Every structure is written in C-alpha cells, then in structure tokens.
C-alpha cells in the first residue's frame, strides 16, 4: 500500500506573496488551505514592490483609458478581453485590500467615508491612477495580508519549504490532473508529500536567471519549471522586463528605484549631465520601460560608461522624504544624497511577462492546477508589462481562481495515498562547488546572450550551453540528495531553455524582445506558445 501523505488539504498554495496570500484568504472560509513559503514569509517580490497598484479612482480617468494604455504598452500582444476584465475588476480588488487594512496614501480633504487617495502617474499611464503606500506599497500589502492569514484558523503556513515537483495522475495511476506536490523541508533536509484537492502556483517570476536583477533570491522560476515538467504549456517566455533604474552601487545590489520617481519629475542623464531620453521617445522619461531600458543600455555601451544617472535633486527635500522615504534612506546609506546629487543607475531583470498558460479563471492545461500572479501568462501584459499592473493582476486573478475552486471543490477529491519520495539510491553531494559554478555560468551567459538586445547567434550559443548544463544537472540530480541550490538551478536552467526557445521562434522585434537580426515588427504578431509534447528535449 502506498504511504499516506505527510500533509493533506483542500487547496495547496505554493507561494506566499500577494497572489498566494490573497487566494488563501478568499478560499479559507470555504476550504482548508496550506500555504507553502520557500523562504521567510516576508521574503518575496511583493514585499519589495515600491511603486503601487493601478486602478481607476480619479473622476477624470476611465476604465477605457486604463485598457487603452495597457494595450499600447503591450505592443500589440495583449489579450483585449483579459485587459478589459482586469481593468473592470481593479477597483473592487483594491477596495478589498483597503478593507483588509492596507493604508494607501491619502490627500487632505477626504473623510473616512469618502477618502481621497494620492495617485501617482507612471510610465505608459495617461492619468494618475497608481495607489501607493509611500514608496513601500508591497511591504504594506504583504504585511497586512500576512497578518490576516496568520489569524485564520483554516490556513496552515509551512515556512522554509521548497516545492520539488507536482504530483500528477501519472504518478498514482489516476486521471489527468494535479493531486499534490513533493516538498523539501529545508530545516530537516527531507522531502515530504502534500495531498491536495487542487494546487495553486503563486511562485512569482524567474528573473534570477539573469546576472543582474531587482528581484529577491527566491525568484528562480520554480512554478514555471514544475508546471512544464507536469505537462503544462507556457506562453511568451521571451518577454523579460528589465527595469530601467536599479541603484548602481556595490553595496546596494538588487535595489530598485521606482518608476514613480520619473513620474514625479526625475530626469535621466549621461555622466556629463545632459539628458538623453528626449532623443529616444516623445514621452522621454515616461516612455514605456522597454524603451527606457534600451536607451540606457545603448548610452552605456556607446559611451563605455558603467551607469547612467537619475536626477531628482531639483525637487524639495521635504517632498522626497514624504514620497520616497525608503529610497532616500537607502541612497543615503551608500553615501548618495538624492536631494543634492544624481543617483547612478543601471537596468536589471525585473519581471517575467510570460509564464504558465492560464484562462480567465486562472486554470492551467492540467486539471486541478491553477496559476496566479507573475508565474502565469494571462494575456494581460503582452510584449511589455505596464507599470503597476502586476500586483493588480495578482489580486484580480486570485479572486478568479478562488471563485473557480469554490464552484468545483466537491469534485476535487483528495488522494491521500501518494508514493513517497525515493532517495534510496542517492547520496550526499561532496561537490557543492559544481552547483555554484553552473549557477554563475548560467546567469552570466543569459545576461550576455539573452538580455536587453539579442541576436540569433547569441541565442544559439545560449541554447548550446543550456543543453550542456541540463545534462550535467540531470546526472547530478539523479545521484545526490536535493538541496536548495540544486532545486533552484534545475528550475532556472529549465526556464532559461524556455526563454531561449521562445525568443528563437519570434522573428521580429516587439516590446521587450529586441533582436538585431529582425529589427522590424511583424504585421501579424501572435503569442509564442510552447508545449512539452512539441518541444525537443534538450
């Protein structure tokens, strides 16, 4: 008889950011839920999100305008129905957060019954529609949701657990579907099992595949890789957003400088103090992120400069302290007073616009498996994500997933008898340095060959190296016990392959995918979809 799972639940949610915690709270009155957190509960992309969340709150703004701005930013590859659905559900989703206790900044003159919120404007938006909590919106959202989750009796939190792989029908001789997951207990260094009626992937993106990233270390594409191995398709993996402005300083790795700075008048300058964005786009500093990132990259390469500069020193110090306290203190901690001097900046990998293919209810190709947030491709972002639509997507599609699961929960029976993880034939690794070497090699060649500007030859070189790495990792994975670094490396290499194969299929330059071999846009663009059955094994 197969052993009983270590844990059982109606819904297993893998990921503890805005997408995972929102889904958990919306489900918890109807089902018992387990939330898996890979690291500390506050360590994720949500916690570090600075800018805010887009929704129409201003009377001069409109849902139609939000839709149009998103479609323009997505460079012809957004799904209009999904954009419309998201924009129309934005305000209700934000109100749910407000009711939960998130303290968005207000302007004087409102009341508790009719508050007036301070709205930022960011690149790509034609109106001020960004609700924010100073410059630490993600922290406010994460901590508020986490407090609610901790209090709820139907939610169990498993902290410091890696998801290893999804358990599907083929593992247990059952119909096609997802029945749980193998998880790695980092404290006890052992693989355990969770049996679940259904599983929600909310693991975030894959920007750790690049050498320079604004994301925390846990953004290693785990959900995308696991879903791919389980048979799910992925879409638009070639579109990786590089945030134009990360602080360039050896003591400030991965510190992002929010687009709201440029929304409030910050200017991008060359080392000699001259502006350059008016040379690249009519909207100058408020151009879409892909345009700004390419412009900075171009100027750095043209001038042989290590960085460009973001200057908001013309603003009053009191204004900066009120609106950007976190950034001000961070810059000050490395010797930069943004009130009197420009801030050195470089682009860095920031957001995965593609992901696991999902429907409007957040369902995937695999029955009983959902995907919410950055891990998913909904069709909202197209070829480029517009600023502050990401946390919005988490909220809107968490609600869609929860509604779908509640409707179907009676069909999601729990298969408690699951095969245990077999590590009887493996031993402990005595060469952890091999993993570290492969890790650094992967991130470096992805940055060099599959970064802001690409060519066919660069992509071919990257794929060749990925194939070699995959063979090494497969041998390593088969012979040694799992570890955090090995699991993340295995997933990152898989995601790297998907990014490269997607990029090789797109014979044009569009949005975040810019290739010197095909600099023009296609007249008939379509999303790039890969399925495990159709993709050659590397």
């Amino acid at each position: 008889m197969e052993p009983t799972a270590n844990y059982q639940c109606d819904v297993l949610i893998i990921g503890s950011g805005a997408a995972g915690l929102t889904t958990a709270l919306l489900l918890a009155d109807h089902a018992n839920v387990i939330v898996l957190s890979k690291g500390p509960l506050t360590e994720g992309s949500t916690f570090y999100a600075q800018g805010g969340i887009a929704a129409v709150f201003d009377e001069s703004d409109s849902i139609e305008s939000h839709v149009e701005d998103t479609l323009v930013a997505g460079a012809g590859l957004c799904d209009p129905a999904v954009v419309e659905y998201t924009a129309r559900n934005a305000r209700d989703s934000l109100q749910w957060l407000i009711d939960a206790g998130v303290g968005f900044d207000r302007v004087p003159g409102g009341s508790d019954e009719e508050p007036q919120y301070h709205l930022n404007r960011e690149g790509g938006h034609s109106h001020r529609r960004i609700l924010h909590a100073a410059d630490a919106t993600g922290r406010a959202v994460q901590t508020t949701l986490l407090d609610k989750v901790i209090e709820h009796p139907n939610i169990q939190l498993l902290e410091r657990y890696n998801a290893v792989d999804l358990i599907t029908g083929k593992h247990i001789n059952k119909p096609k579907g997802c029945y749980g997951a193998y998880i790695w207990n980092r404290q006890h260094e052992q693989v355990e099992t969770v049996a679940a009626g259904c599983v929600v992937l909310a693991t975030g993106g894959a920007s750790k595949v690049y050498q320079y990233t604004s994301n925390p270390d846990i953004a290693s594409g785990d959900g995308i890789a696991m879903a791919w191995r389980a048979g799910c398709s992925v879409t638009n993996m070639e579109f990786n957003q590089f945030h134009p402005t990360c602080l360039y300083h050896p003591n400030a790795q991965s510190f992002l400088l929010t687009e709201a700075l440029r929304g409030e008048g910050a200017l991008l300058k060359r080392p000699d103090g001259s502006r350059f964005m008016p040379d690249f786009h009519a909207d100058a500093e408020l151009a879409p992120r892909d345009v700004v990132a390419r412009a900075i990259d171009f100027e750095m390469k043209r001038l042989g400069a290590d960085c460009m500069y973001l200057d908001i020193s013309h603003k009053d110090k009191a204004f900066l302290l009120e609106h950007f306290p976190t950034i001000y203190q961070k810059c000050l901690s490395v010797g930069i007073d943004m009130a009197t001097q420009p801030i050195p900046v470089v682009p860095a990998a920031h957001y995965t616009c593609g992901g696991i293919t999902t429907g409007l209810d957040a369902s995937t190709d695999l029955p009983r498996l959902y995907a919410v947030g950055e891990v998913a491709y909904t069709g909202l972002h197209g070829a480029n994500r517009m600023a502050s639509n990401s946390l919005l997507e988490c909220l809107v599609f968490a609600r869609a997933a929860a509604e779908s699961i509640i409707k179907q929960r009676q069909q999601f029976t729990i298969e408690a008898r699951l095969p245990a993880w077999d590590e009887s034939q493996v031993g402990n690794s005595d060469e952890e340095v091999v993993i570290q070497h492969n890790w650094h090699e992967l991130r470096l060649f992805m940055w060099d060959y599959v970064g802001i500007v690409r060519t066919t030859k660069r992509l071919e070189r990257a794929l060749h190296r990925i194939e070699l790495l995959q063979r090494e990792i497969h041998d390593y994975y088969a012979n040694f016990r799992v570890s955090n670094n090995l699991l993340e490396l295995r997933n990152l290499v898989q995601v790297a392959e998907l990014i490269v194969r997607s990029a090789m299929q797109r014979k044009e330059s569009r949005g975040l995918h810019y290739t010197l071999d095909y600099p023009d846009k296609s007249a008939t663009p379509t999303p790039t979809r890969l399925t495990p059955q159709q993709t050659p094994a590397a």
Side-chain angles (χ1 to χ4, degrees), residues 25 96 99-101 142-153 155:
L25 287 169
W96 180 83
D99 294 342
Q142 180 76 16
T143 54
T144 300
L145 293 179
L146 191 54
D147 287 345
K148 295 286 186 185
V149 164
I150 290 171
E151 292 171 0
H152 205 290
I155 302 175

PDB file of all heavy atoms in Angstrom, residues 25 96 99-101 142-153 155:
ATOM      1  N   LEU A  25      -6.780  33.715   1.483  1.00  0.00           N
ATOM      2  CA  LEU A  25      -7.808  34.398   2.281  1.00  0.00           C
ATOM      3  C   LEU A  25      -9.184  34.303   1.641  1.00  0.00           C
ATOM      4  O   LEU A  25     -10.202  34.167   2.341  1.00  0.00           O
ATOM      5  CB  LEU A  25      -7.417  35.864   2.468  1.00  0.00           C
ATOM      6  CG  LEU A  25      -6.266  36.119   3.453  1.00  0.00           C
ATOM      7  CD1 LEU A  25      -5.788  37.564   3.367  1.00  0.00           C
ATOM      8  CD2 LEU A  25      -6.698  35.787   4.878  1.00  0.00           C
ATOM      9  N   TRP A  96     -11.037  45.734  -1.726  1.00  0.00           N
ATOM     10  CA  TRP A  96     -10.861  44.574  -0.838  1.00  0.00           C
ATOM     11  C   TRP A  96      -9.584  44.721  -0.012  1.00  0.00           C
ATOM     12  O   TRP A  96      -9.573  44.442   1.193  1.00  0.00           O
ATOM     13  CB  TRP A  96     -10.821  43.291  -1.684  1.00  0.00           C
ATOM     14  CG  TRP A  96     -10.649  42.047  -0.881  1.00  0.00           C
ATOM     15  CD1 TRP A  96     -11.623  41.322  -0.232  1.00  0.00           C
ATOM     16  CD2 TRP A  96      -9.419  41.356  -0.605  1.00  0.00           C
ATOM     17  NE1 TRP A  96     -11.078  40.234   0.415  1.00  0.00           N
ATOM     18  CE2 TRP A  96      -9.731  40.233   0.199  1.00  0.00           C
ATOM     19  CE3 TRP A  96      -8.101  41.576  -0.975  1.00  0.00           C
ATOM     20  CZ2 TRP A  96      -8.760  39.344   0.636  1.00  0.00           C
ATOM     21  CZ3 TRP A  96      -7.130  40.688  -0.532  1.00  0.00           C
ATOM     22  CH2 TRP A  96      -7.447  39.585   0.265  1.00  0.00           C
ATOM     23  N   ASP A  99     -10.174  47.450   2.580  1.00  0.00           N
ATOM     24  CA  ASP A  99     -10.999  46.915   3.666  1.00  0.00           C
ATOM     25  C   ASP A  99     -10.193  45.978   4.575  1.00  0.00           C
ATOM     26  O   ASP A  99     -10.483  45.858   5.769  1.00  0.00           O
ATOM     27  CB  ASP A  99     -12.207  46.171   3.109  1.00  0.00           C
ATOM     28  CG  ASP A  99     -13.188  47.101   2.384  1.00  0.00           C
ATOM     29  OD1 ASP A  99     -13.108  48.323   2.614  1.00  0.00           O
ATOM     30  OD2 ASP A  99     -13.997  46.595   1.580  1.00  0.00           O
ATOM     31  N   ALA A 100      -9.188  45.330   3.979  1.00  0.00           N
ATOM     32  CA  ALA A 100      -8.333  44.440   4.773  1.00  0.00           C
ATOM     33  C   ALA A 100      -7.367  45.217   5.667  1.00  0.00           C
ATOM     34  O   ALA A 100      -6.777  44.643   6.581  1.00  0.00           O
ATOM     35  CB  ALA A 100      -7.551  43.509   3.849  1.00  0.00           C
ATOM     36  N   GLY A 101      -7.210  46.517   5.369  1.00  0.00           N
ATOM     37  CA  GLY A 101      -6.379  47.341   6.241  1.00  0.00           C
ATOM     38  C   GLY A 101      -5.141  47.944   5.621  1.00  0.00           C
ATOM     39  O   GLY A 101      -4.321  48.547   6.325  1.00  0.00           O
ATOM     40  N   GLN A 142       1.954  43.111   1.738  1.00  0.00           N
ATOM     41  CA  GLN A 142       2.417  41.821   2.240  1.00  0.00           C
ATOM     42  C   GLN A 142       2.157  41.670   3.733  1.00  0.00           C
ATOM     43  O   GLN A 142       1.641  40.643   4.190  1.00  0.00           O
ATOM     44  CB  GLN A 142       3.915  41.655   1.950  1.00  0.00           C
ATOM     45  CG  GLN A 142       4.523  40.345   2.427  1.00  0.00           C
ATOM     46  CD  GLN A 142       4.169  39.168   1.551  1.00  0.00           C
ATOM     47  OE1 GLN A 142       3.714  39.351   0.429  1.00  0.00           O
ATOM     48  NE2 GLN A 142       4.373  37.962   2.040  1.00  0.00           N
ATOM     49  N   THR A 143       2.525  42.659   4.505  1.00  0.00           N
ATOM     50  CA  THR A 143       2.378  42.537   5.960  1.00  0.00           C
ATOM     51  C   THR A 143       0.911  42.518   6.379  1.00  0.00           C
ATOM     52  O   THR A 143       0.533  41.786   7.296  1.00  0.00           O
ATOM     53  CB  THR A 143       3.123  43.670   6.672  1.00  0.00           C
ATOM     54  OG1 THR A 143       2.685  44.945   6.152  1.00  0.00           O
ATOM     55  CG2 THR A 143       4.626  43.552   6.458  1.00  0.00           C
ATOM     56  N   THR A 144       0.076  43.298   5.695  1.00  0.00           N
ATOM     57  CA  THR A 144      -1.351  43.295   6.023  1.00  0.00           C
ATOM     58  C   THR A 144      -1.983  41.946   5.719  1.00  0.00           C
ATOM     59  O   THR A 144      -2.707  41.380   6.554  1.00  0.00           O
ATOM     60  CB  THR A 144      -2.083  44.398   5.224  1.00  0.00           C
ATOM     61  OG1 THR A 144      -1.521  45.665   5.549  1.00  0.00           O
ATOM     62  CG2 THR A 144      -3.563  44.410   5.553  1.00  0.00           C
ATOM     63  N   LEU A 145      -1.716  41.410   4.537  1.00  0.00           N
ATOM     64  CA  LEU A 145      -2.276  40.105   4.168  1.00  0.00           C
ATOM     65  C   LEU A 145      -1.742  39.005   5.073  1.00  0.00           C
ATOM     66  O   LEU A 145      -2.488  38.096   5.485  1.00  0.00           O
ATOM     67  CB  LEU A 145      -1.953  39.785   2.713  1.00  0.00           C
ATOM     68  CG  LEU A 145      -2.607  40.669   1.645  1.00  0.00           C
ATOM     69  CD1 LEU A 145      -2.164  40.237   0.250  1.00  0.00           C
ATOM     70  CD2 LEU A 145      -4.128  40.625   1.751  1.00  0.00           C
ATOM     71  N   LEU A 146      -0.471  39.078   5.390  1.00  0.00           N
ATOM     72  CA  LEU A 146       0.134  38.044   6.227  1.00  0.00           C
ATOM     73  C   LEU A 146      -0.505  38.016   7.609  1.00  0.00           C
ATOM     74  O   LEU A 146      -0.775  36.932   8.162  1.00  0.00           O
ATOM     75  CB  LEU A 146       1.640  38.288   6.329  1.00  0.00           C
ATOM     76  CG  LEU A 146       2.485  37.169   6.943  1.00  0.00           C
ATOM     77  CD1 LEU A 146       2.250  35.842   6.223  1.00  0.00           C
ATOM     78  CD2 LEU A 146       3.957  37.545   6.881  1.00  0.00           C
ATOM     79  N   ASP A 147      -0.765  39.177   8.181  1.00  0.00           N
ATOM     80  CA  ASP A 147      -1.430  39.229   9.486  1.00  0.00           C
ATOM     81  C   ASP A 147      -2.791  38.549   9.425  1.00  0.00           C
ATOM     82  O   ASP A 147      -3.177  37.807  10.339  1.00  0.00           O
ATOM     83  CB  ASP A 147      -1.598  40.687   9.941  1.00  0.00           C
ATOM     84  CG  ASP A 147      -0.288  41.322  10.382  1.00  0.00           C
ATOM     85  OD1 ASP A 147       0.686  40.569  10.618  1.00  0.00           O
ATOM     86  OD2 ASP A 147      -0.245  42.555  10.483  1.00  0.00           O
ATOM     87  N   LYS A 148      -3.523  38.775   8.338  1.00  0.00           N
ATOM     88  CA  LYS A 148      -4.844  38.155   8.169  1.00  0.00           C
ATOM     89  C   LYS A 148      -4.729  36.633   8.020  1.00  0.00           C
ATOM     90  O   LYS A 148      -5.534  35.875   8.568  1.00  0.00           O
ATOM     91  CB  LYS A 148      -5.544  38.746   6.945  1.00  0.00           C
ATOM     92  CG  LYS A 148      -5.892  40.221   7.047  1.00  0.00           C
ATOM     93  CD  LYS A 148      -7.064  40.447   7.962  1.00  0.00           C
ATOM     94  CE  LYS A 148      -7.490  41.900   7.951  1.00  0.00           C
ATOM     95  NZ  LYS A 148      -8.576  42.177   8.924  1.00  0.00           N
ATOM     96  N   VAL A 149      -3.725  36.202   7.257  1.00  0.00           N
ATOM     97  CA  VAL A 149      -3.532  34.766   7.026  1.00  0.00           C
ATOM     98  C   VAL A 149      -3.162  34.052   8.317  1.00  0.00           C
ATOM     99  O   VAL A 149      -3.673  32.966   8.623  1.00  0.00           O
ATOM    100  CB  VAL A 149      -2.452  34.552   5.946  1.00  0.00           C
ATOM    101  CG1 VAL A 149      -1.945  33.126   5.954  1.00  0.00           C
ATOM    102  CG2 VAL A 149      -3.006  34.904   4.565  1.00  0.00           C
ATOM    103  N   ILE A 150      -2.270  34.643   9.082  1.00  0.00           N
ATOM    104  CA  ILE A 150      -1.832  34.032  10.341  1.00  0.00           C
ATOM    105  C   ILE A 150      -3.004  33.854  11.309  1.00  0.00           C
ATOM    106  O   ILE A 150      -3.080  32.868  12.048  1.00  0.00           O
ATOM    107  CB  ILE A 150      -0.709  34.878  10.982  1.00  0.00           C
ATOM    108  CG1 ILE A 150       0.569  34.764  10.138  1.00  0.00           C
ATOM    109  CG2 ILE A 150      -0.434  34.458  12.413  1.00  0.00           C
ATOM    110  CD1 ILE A 150       1.664  35.721  10.548  1.00  0.00           C
ATOM    111  N   GLU A 151      -3.936  34.795  11.270  1.00  0.00           N
ATOM    112  CA  GLU A 151      -5.082  34.752  12.182  1.00  0.00           C
ATOM    113  C   GLU A 151      -6.127  33.718  11.781  1.00  0.00           C
ATOM    114  O   GLU A 151      -6.942  33.309  12.614  1.00  0.00           O
ATOM    115  CB  GLU A 151      -5.765  36.132  12.221  1.00  0.00           C
ATOM    116  CG  GLU A 151      -4.938  37.233  12.863  1.00  0.00           C
ATOM    117  CD  GLU A 151      -5.581  38.603  12.665  1.00  0.00           C
ATOM    118  OE1 GLU A 151      -6.660  38.674  12.023  1.00  0.00           O
ATOM    119  OE2 GLU A 151      -5.001  39.597  13.141  1.00  0.00           O
ATOM    120  N   HIS A 152      -6.136  33.298  10.511  1.00  0.00           N
ATOM    121  CA  HIS A 152      -7.253  32.469  10.033  1.00  0.00           C
ATOM    122  C   HIS A 152      -7.062  31.005  10.424  1.00  0.00           C
ATOM    123  O   HIS A 152      -6.025  30.402  10.120  1.00  0.00           O
ATOM    124  CB  HIS A 152      -7.395  32.569   8.515  1.00  0.00           C
ATOM    125  CG  HIS A 152      -8.781  32.269   8.048  1.00  0.00           C
ATOM    126  ND1 HIS A 152      -9.323  30.995   8.107  1.00  0.00           N
ATOM    127  CD2 HIS A 152      -9.774  33.075   7.548  1.00  0.00           C
ATOM    128  CE1 HIS A 152     -10.553  31.024   7.646  1.00  0.00           C
ATOM    129  NE2 HIS A 152     -10.855  32.269   7.299  1.00  0.00           N
ATOM    130  N   PRO A 153      -8.050  30.399  11.072  1.00  0.00           N
ATOM    131  CA  PRO A 153      -7.896  29.019  11.542  1.00  0.00           C
ATOM    132  C   PRO A 153      -7.833  27.974  10.439  1.00  0.00           C
ATOM    133  O   PRO A 153      -7.362  26.851  10.675  1.00  0.00           O
ATOM    134  CB  PRO A 153      -9.143  28.811  12.410  1.00  0.00           C
ATOM    135  CG  PRO A 153     -10.147  29.801  11.889  1.00  0.00           C
ATOM    136  CD  PRO A 153      -9.348  30.990  11.455  1.00  0.00           C
ATOM    137  N   ILE A 155      -6.090  28.206   7.636  1.00  0.00           N
ATOM    138  CA  ILE A 155      -4.881  28.324   6.827  1.00  0.00           C
ATOM    139  C   ILE A 155      -3.678  27.858   7.638  1.00  0.00           C
ATOM    140  O   ILE A 155      -3.441  28.333   8.741  1.00  0.00           O
ATOM    141  CB  ILE A 155      -4.647  29.774   6.354  1.00  0.00           C
ATOM    142  CG1 ILE A 155      -5.845  30.272   5.535  1.00  0.00           C
ATOM    143  CG2 ILE A 155      -3.372  29.864   5.517  1.00  0.00           C
ATOM    144  CD1 ILE A 155      -5.744  31.735   5.125  1.00  0.00           C
TER     145      ILE A 155
END
